[in-house]
Amino acid sequence: MAKKDKYLVGLDIGSTKTSILIAEIEGEFVKFLALGAAESKGLRKGLIVNLDSTVSSIRRAVEEAEGVANVPVQEALIGVAGNHVRGVNSRGGITLGPRPRDIEREDVRRAVDAARNISLPEDREVLHVLPHEFIVDAQDSIRDPVGMVGQRLVANVYVVTSSIAASQNLVTAANKSGILISDTVLEPLASAEVCLTQDERDLGCCLLDIGGGTTEIIAYGGGVVRHIGVVPIGGDHFTNDLAVGLRTPTPEAERIKRRHGWAASSFITDNGAIEIASVGDRPPRAIFPHMLTDIIEPRAMELLSLIRDDL
Ligand SMILES: Nc1ncnc2c1ncn2[C@@H]1O[C@H](COP(=O)(O)OP(=O)(O)OP(=O)(O)O)[C@@H](O)[C@H]1O
Ligand SMILES: [Mg+2]
């Protein structure tokens, strides 16, 4: 951005749309300025399959947001997701010295560094290290050990890793669109920051991001991330089922799904006929809401059972 620390820009390249958000930093707060979105077809399950079309959808989204915010975008944070992302529990620690002493912020950083030191295949990198708890000598379940006294500090962490090539291709696409990438963020983690309250994270909850081609899962318990996962079913599967099942063009299936679709028949309130386009030159037909649910509900059940298996 023009003044580097004044603005915050987030870029999300999805399999159906690319979004860019521009915000202004005002002290401790960020103020929303603009959102730009463009249809995207260059990504599948978090991996770029067509670089040129990804670049052009980033450009279109950026132009839209720049026009509204009246700020040129030069640098952005980019979201990473998809089934190349994995999470593993890890543990590591440091000895503080021959005698117990006060634990400082730097000690915590070193303990977390020791815990993140897992052996990774050459094609993978660490995206995030999320501390679960700290153990000072024999005392466990410590959230923040700074200021406590001990001889040994151990960190239990959740290490999120991603494919270097997959992340690099996203960065390359952004660079080709004229944007530098300052950092990468796991998308479900960013969603959780926005959508979940601390109480929900403490009590335990699961957040789903049902995208076009995949559903991202992030589960919290005791205030921290316990699990991340991805299921290869998203909204586009529902649309395709409707297009095939009702013999209608895909854009019409998408429209009908959004306007009239319910995930379960018990939600249906209006049983009136719905006009739907046919394929080819055939005239439009009338269908009824339960015919949509008959197709949507099994797919929703499949999605939920895969999510349960993943958890
Ligand atoms: N009102 C709605 N009702 C049902 N489904 C919807 C609605 N609006 C959008 N969708 C579906 O959401 C999906 C797109 O979601 P989203 O924009 O989060 O995907 P994406 O981020 O581009 O994809 P991904 O995260 O899989 O790469 C599409 O399949 C679309 O049909
Ligand atoms: Mg998405």
Side-chain angles (χ1 to χ4, degrees), residues 239 242-243 248-258 274-278 284-285:
T239 303
L242 290 170
T248 191
T250 306
E252 176 72 344
E254 178 74 22
R255 185 187 73 83
I256 294 278
K257 174 183 87 171
R258 292 194 190 195
I274 303 161
E275 190 177 274
I276 184 171
S278 300
R285 291 162 294 139

Side-chain angles (χ1 to χ4, degrees), residues 90-104:
S90 175
R91 156 190 284 241
I94 57 165
T95 302
L96 296 161
R99 257 175 272 126
R101 66 163 173 86
D102 279 7
I103 296 170
E104 292 166 13

Side-chain angles (χ1 to χ4, degrees), residues 12-17 81 187 209-212 214 216:
D12 169 8
I13 307 173
S15 53
T16 67
K17 68 174 196 303
E187 278 178 17
D209 173 1
I210 307 177
T214 51
E216 307 282 335

Side-chain angles (χ1 to χ4, degrees), residues 286-301:
I287 58 160
F288 292 90
H290 72 87
M291 293 163 76
L292 295 178
T293 311
D294 285 350
I295 295 172
I296 297 172
E297 193 167 355
R299 188 58 102 166
M301 294 304 287

Side-chain angles (χ1 to χ4, degrees), residues 20-152:
I20 186 147
L21 188 146
I22 307 179
E24 192 172 3
I25 301 171
E26 285 184 347
E28 282 177 42
F29 300 96
V30 282
K31 188 174 118 199
F32 169 83
L33 289 186
L35 177 71
E39 192 189 3
S40 114
K41 287 195 172 125
L43 205 85
R44 206 163 296 146
K45 295 179 184 168
L47 301 174
I48 289 189
V49 288
N50 185 330
L51 190 61
D52 288 345
S53 92
T54 305
V55 171
S56 86
S57 79
I58 298 173
R59 286 211 178 110
R60 276 180 284 129
V62 168
E63 271 169 25
E64 188 188 331
E66 282 179 337
V68 176
N70 211 6
V71 180
V73 172
Q74 289 167 355
E75 205 175 81
L77 292 154
I78 197 166
V80 175
N83 47 11
H84 62 94
V85 177
R86 305 261 182 286
V88 287
N89 288 314
S90 175
R91 156 190 284 241
I94 57 165
T95 302
L96 296 161
R99 257 175 272 126
R101 66 163 173 86
D102 279 7
I103 296 170
E104 292 166 13
R105 185 73 46 216
E106 177 61 16
D107 300 317
V108 176
R109 202 192 54 72
R110 280 173 48 228
V112 169
D113 262 2
R116 74 175 273 159
N117 208 352
I118 53 173
S119 66
L120 282 177
E122 262 177 27
D123 61 338
R124 298 194 68 78
E125 65 185 350
V126 172
L127 199 57
H128 296 287
V129 182
L130 308 169
H132 270 178
E133 60 156 3
F134 293 92
I135 302 159
V136 178
D137 299 338
Q139 189 186 339
D140 61 11
S141 306
I142 299 167
R143 281 261 176 100
D144 184 3
V146 172
M148 295 181 72
V149 175
Q151 251 183 308
R152 184 159 171 78

